[in-house]
Amino acid sequence: MRKTWKRKRGPPLPPHSQRHLPGAAAALNRSRRVELSESLRSLTLLSALLVLASCTAPEVSRASPDIRLGHQLTTHGGAVACADRLAATIGAQLLARGGNAVDAAVGTALALAVTWPSAGNLGGGGVMIIAMADGTQVTVDARETAPAAFHEDAFLDEGGNYVPSRATDPWLCIGVPGSVAGLALAHERFGTLPWHELVAPAIRLAHQGFERGEMFHRILSSSATALAAIPSSREVFLNPDGSVPATGTLLKQPALARTLEQLAENGPEAFYRGPLAKALAADIQENGGLLTYEDLASYRAVFRPPLTLEIAGTEILAMPPPSSGGVAIGQILGQLERHGALDGDPGSAEFLHLYAESARRAYAERARWLGDPGYVEVPTAWLLAPETIDDLAASIDPTRATASTSIGPPITALRRTPDKKQTTHLSVIDGDGNAVSFTTTLEATYGSKAVSARTGVLLNNELRDFNRIPGQSTESGHIGTAANLAAPGKRPLTSMSPIIVLEDNEVVLVTGSPGGRTIINTVCQIFLGFVGRRLSLSDAVAAPRVHHQWFPDQLVFEPGFPRPAVREELINRGHTVVNREDTPPAGGALGSAHSVSRNRLTGIVTAVGDPRRDGWSATDS
Ligand code: DON
């Protein structure tokens, strides 16, 4: 079944410059209410459990004399929130040593490459937003690129048929890793501590090892079969018989430690040129992969200006393409703003209907237009233009769901099953008001599952983020539009959506999340909770989440959300309502948004590790 795109008007191409959305007339009250009553309004079973979990979580403790660690904490100093307690501690220690938010973010990210290998990485990519207190605002695009030998038909056989096993081949979908270049670029421009001091804690953790925690164990267990099939990966993460070592067992990574030592001594050059790069390329090619030494040597991370979205009197700094985050967030929140729904009750059918319709439209636009701006004309300015968002908002029927088949690019009825994924986000604000929002990924959980034996680096399978079948978009959510087809050197479109929110030029919120396409909705809903409804940060993070991504045409809820009567009403309005699939390790949770906020009146910084995946925060004061 093929449908055509309804909107007649196209974007005036090319300009893909930064775009500002009109703001609300009045700025919201900036102070944050922390009363539980505010959030109880919308709490359902899941969020009640999450709040309970955070109340019964261990008290904030001292990880070392100058560091406090907890699932959530407040401070007058700087703070880091991320997936792992050791990495959070390292970030805070770097702050304590006089490092700024960029130093802390880089050191935390490098530590996560050791302690959180399901998503933290040297062998993957990421996108970062930096807002310095002096007003400097940039993004770092450290997204992987396609090797020179990777083309748009890489997933097809000679007859043009899709070959699913190519998307699951551990060595074929490895993009040129961008994380090391991106972290080094951020440090080179903004860091204050020497580079080797940021790498040193990760080296120590890789050498000496660390005890695997409960969440680590659960995530590893979910990927053990695939890891066990690759000898170099089994050797690092599993017992010799392929079973999963018990919680509390030490994980040492000597080969990774040696790689990190070379990085500490010689900087990113060591990773992209010279013996280390040759070893990495050799490991990949000997296993049938495409990535070459030349691919590594030609990789560049780049600074890009952030998109600045003016919503509800705030400025949201967001990622431009090749991230779909900024455009989609701007369109979703822009539509809700036009419907007066930024402070809508998230437990009501009225709000959830408007949210679903706004997201449906934004994701349809994403599918149609977005890709690597170095390769395709991405009409970013048009997509965020007030008239475009007016049109989108005006096309929403307040009483009936729009069928996804009636909007967006043409689709076919082909269905395929989604893959399991992992990514991780970290947020930092330092004592001077500098902020970093960094999301990083290997794509799937433990990426390609392939560890390069010579370097100890676990590699991504990010090339699966390209549209896999040219011309074929499916009702199961696979997209075949031209904008995101693979090409040599091209960056696959990402949903990673770190944001930094400012009020009167001061940072008030740093957030982001894993979750593939769900990331965009998670980030929007944290903004809506924190800015729109003025919840405390912990309540905004804990609030139950909903997801719609155009296709599959489903409104996906976290468990226990929403109330049965509201669910019924949404079904009556034409929505297909489903629960988020309850798969390990995070049950039916959507995202994991480790976030930091700063109250402009009191100067108090709050850091919250998302309880959905046992997140952590640490401070130097
Ligand atoms: O870049 C992307 O959009 C995906 N590779 C991210 C995957 C992801 O977030 C999985 N997380 N749970």
Side-chain angles (χ1 to χ4, degrees), residues 303-316:
F303 287 121
R304 298 182 191 274
L307 297 179
T308 305
L309 313 168
E310 294 183 7
I311 305 278
T314 69
E315 282 195 330
I316 306 173

Side-chain angles (χ1 to χ4, degrees), residues 133-441:
D134 69 4
T136 309
Q137 298 167 348
V138 293
T139 75
V140 180
D141 172 354
R143 184 66 164 163
E144 297 91 331
T145 54
F150 200 86
H151 295 274
E152 70 175 44
D153 54 2
F155 298 102
L156 310 180
D157 65 17
E158 293 71 29
N161 303 305
Y162 178 65
V163 185
S165 61
R166 298 208 178 161
T168 51
D169 182 313
W171 303 94
L172 196 63
C173 293
I174 300 171
V176 185
S179 293
V180 171
L183 295 174
L185 188 67
H187 170 261
E188 182 184 55
R189 169 118 178 242
F190 297 104
T192 57
L193 295 175
W195 168 254
H196 67 87
E197 286 190 28
L198 309 186
V199 190
I203 297 174
R204 199 178 57 247
L205 283 163
H207 257 312
Q208 296 174 358
F210 61 94
E211 284 183 10
R212 302 161 196 245
E214 174 56 30
M215 185 54 76
F216 185 106
H217 181 79
R218 277 162 58 186
I219 297 173
L220 179 57
S221 300
S222 73
S223 293
T225 308
L227 287 164
I230 302 173
S232 52
S233 309
R234 185 173 57 220
E235 191 182 328
V236 174
F237 297 115
L238 301 170
N239 293 322
D241 67 355
S243 59
V244 182
T247 303
T249 311
L250 217 55
L251 172 59
K252 294 186 182 183
Q253 299 171 79
L256 183 61
R258 287 193 293 278
T259 291
L260 285 161
E261 278 166 358
Q262 293 187 48
L263 274 188
E265 263 172 50
N266 303 318
E269 279 293 300
F271 192 84
Y272 291 98
R273 290 174 195 82
L276 199 51
K278 290 207 168 93
L280 193 56
D283 277 340
I284 295 171
Q285 281 172 25
E286 284 167 17
N287 285 288
L290 301 174
L291 193 146
T292 64
Y293 175 80
E294 289 69 32
D295 291 324
L296 283 163
S298 58
Y299 183 83
R300 300 282 178 279
V302 291
F303 287 121
R304 298 182 191 274
L307 297 179
T308 305
L309 313 168
E310 294 183 7
I311 305 278
T314 69
E315 282 195 330
I316 306 173
L317 306 182
M319 275 311 294
S323 166
S324 52
V327 169
I329 290 169
Q331 289 198 335
I332 292 171
L333 295 179
Q335 290 173 78
L336 291 173
E337 188 169 50
R338 280 152 180 77
H339 283 275
L342 291 179
D343 60 353
D345 175 359
S348 70
E350 289 68 31
F351 174 84
L352 289 167
H353 173 77
L354 277 176
Y355 189 89
E357 293 305 302
S358 304
R360 183 198 306 279
R361 284 159 177 74
Y363 277 86
E365 300 283 80
R366 173 192 184 277
R368 184 159 177 104
W369 297 112
L370 299 187
D372 181 344
Y375 284 70
V376 289
E377 297 284 4
V378 183
T380 302
W382 176 79
L383 288 164
L384 289 174
E387 315 79 61
T388 304
I389 295 174
D390 287 347
D391 280 0
L392 291 174
S395 73
I396 295 175
D397 179 337
T399 59
R400 287 298 302 167
T402 307
S404 286
T405 42
S406 69
I407 60 169
I411 59 122
T412 70
L414 182 71
R415 290 178 179 274
R416 273 188 275 115
T417 334
D419 314 290
K420 277 195 279 174
K421 297 180 161 202
Q422 269 280 346
T423 297
T424 195
H425 179 81
L426 65 92
S427 299
V428 186
I429 295 179
D430 68 21
D432 295 326
N434 304 308
V436 177
S437 191
F438 182 47
T439 312
T440 184
T441 186

Side-chain angles (χ1 to χ4, degrees), residues 143 421-423 441 443 462 465 494-496 514-516 519:
R143 184 66 164 163
K421 297 180 161 202
Q422 269 280 346
T423 297
T441 186
E443 167 41 21
E462 216 73 54
D465 277 357
T494 175
S495 297
M496 288 187 287
I519 292 172

